[in-house]
Amino acid sequence: MRILGIRRELNFSPNLAGNDAAIFMGVADELKVMGHEVAYINENEMVNTDFEPYDRVVTMARDVHSLTILKEKNVEKQTQFFNSVEGILACSDKAMVATIMQQMDIPQPAFIPSEDRKLPISEEGVGDIPYPVWLKKCDGCAERKWDTIFCQSMKETCHANKIMKRTHYQRWMAQAHQKGDLVKFYGVEGTDFFRWQYASHGHSKFGYEEINGPEMGYPFDSHRIKEYADRLAKQLNVPIYGGDVIIDENGEPWFIDFNDFPSFSSCREQASKVIARRVVQDL
């Protein structure tokens, strides 16, 4: 089988470029061991690429403009993408994912998308969400620290809102801060593979994990998180996924992030094998 791999550009791997490259090559190496022919391109080349000669495309691309062009070209009629182009685009819009989770009854903190680049900010909170809140960019994945901002007051929220406007983002959202243990998870939908770890045990992109403080070790059901995550991954057509949940004092999970094709840094070797098998398992 002929398989094309699309590498992620460095600006979409803030402080994680080495880890993203490692999982990409790990999957490629496993596919080669399985006897498949694997070629590579960078994501800035994908708009002008002919995908028809390939049986599968394994992509870590995140450039919204280029992915939108691929969607308009309907390239997935030619070959199957892992993850899907539409799924990656959905994951680039946190408000869209939050809305889909709301429709699927997946637990998450309350959120309010911006409208016309505005949010209903008051002394008490944002809309009916009291402080503290998070402002999150919805025009693509987080590339810089100010793409996600923690706000504890009206003054901080107004300042963060101005930052979003000055950065020329068109859409962002406010989301309630949830207290509890911050847990990162990694999974491959359609398989039994699922791993989790406390955020403090891994590499931090921007250092925001410290806001929740030391973990209390609240007991929780990881199988329940996988069930929610697999449902969402199937809905979005993003079988290779990762994300973050907050575990509250009652052991309840609250989803605060869901991402396409993370670095799997804490479980890369096993994940590479599972991802490679998932890419070809439908044949």
Side-chain angles (χ1 to χ4, degrees), residues 30-213:
E30 289 296 331
L31 288 166
K32 290 177 183 177
V33 169
M34 295 165 69
H36 302 291
E37 179 184 343
V38 183
Y40 319 104
I41 62 171
N42 296 322
E43 68 174 288
N44 60 8
E45 303 174 85
M46 64 185 178
V47 169
N48 298 315
T49 296
D50 179 11
F51 296 103
E52 193 168 1
Y54 299 98
D55 302 293
R56 293 286 189 274
V57 176
V58 180
T59 177
M60 294 188 77
R62 281 185 173 169
D63 181 67
V64 170
H65 177 70
S66 298
L67 288 165
T68 301
I69 293 174
L70 294 190
K71 179 182 176 181
E72 292 170 351
K73 287 183 175 182
N74 204 11
V75 295
E76 291 181 274
K77 271 196 170 182
Q78 301 171 6
T79 186
Q80 188 172 4
F81 279 60
F82 289 85
N83 291 309
S84 73
V85 172
E86 286 202 21
I88 299 170
L89 284 170
C91 288
S92 74
D93 185 341
K94 293 184 183 298
M96 179 184 293
V97 173
T99 300
I100 292 170
M101 287 198 292
Q102 187 178 61
Q103 294 167 350
M104 298 177 69
D105 293 323
I106 295 175
Q108 64 180 320
F111 69 97
I112 297 176
S114 65
E115 292 187 9
D116 298 323
R117 307 181 80 223
K118 297 178 182 178
L119 285 169
I121 301 170
S122 71
E123 291 284 356
E124 290 73 35
V126 181
D128 58 357
I129 302 175
Y131 298 118
V133 300
W134 294 86
L135 261 59
K136 299 181 177 182
K137 163 190 172 185
C138 296
D139 284 353
C141 67
E143 300 175 55
R144 311 166 191 86
K145 187 167 185 175
W146 58 83
D147 289 345
T148 304
I149 307 174
F150 181 64
C151 307
Q152 303 183 76
S153 66
M154 179 178 177
K155 181 179 179 180
E156 290 181 0
T157 306
C158 288
H159 179 65
N161 204 56
K162 288 179 182 177
I163 290 174
M164 295 287 176
K165 288 183 178 181
R166 285 202 302 265
T167 319
H168 303 296
Y169 299 147
Q170 297 304 307
R171 300 179 67 246
W172 52 92
M173 75 175 192
Q175 188 164 41
H177 175 65
Q178 176 66 51
K179 294 181 180 180
D181 292 345
L182 178 55
V183 169
K184 291 187 172 294
F185 62 84
Y186 307 94
V188 182
E189 184 272 329
T191 76
D192 293 333
F193 183 84
F194 188 81
R195 298 291 183 273
W196 68 270
Q197 66 181 43
Y198 289 117
S200 63
H201 297 179
H203 181 79
S204 173
K205 279 187 180 181
F206 304 121
Y208 282 133
E209 293 84 356
E210 297 177 3
I211 290 173
N212 277 67

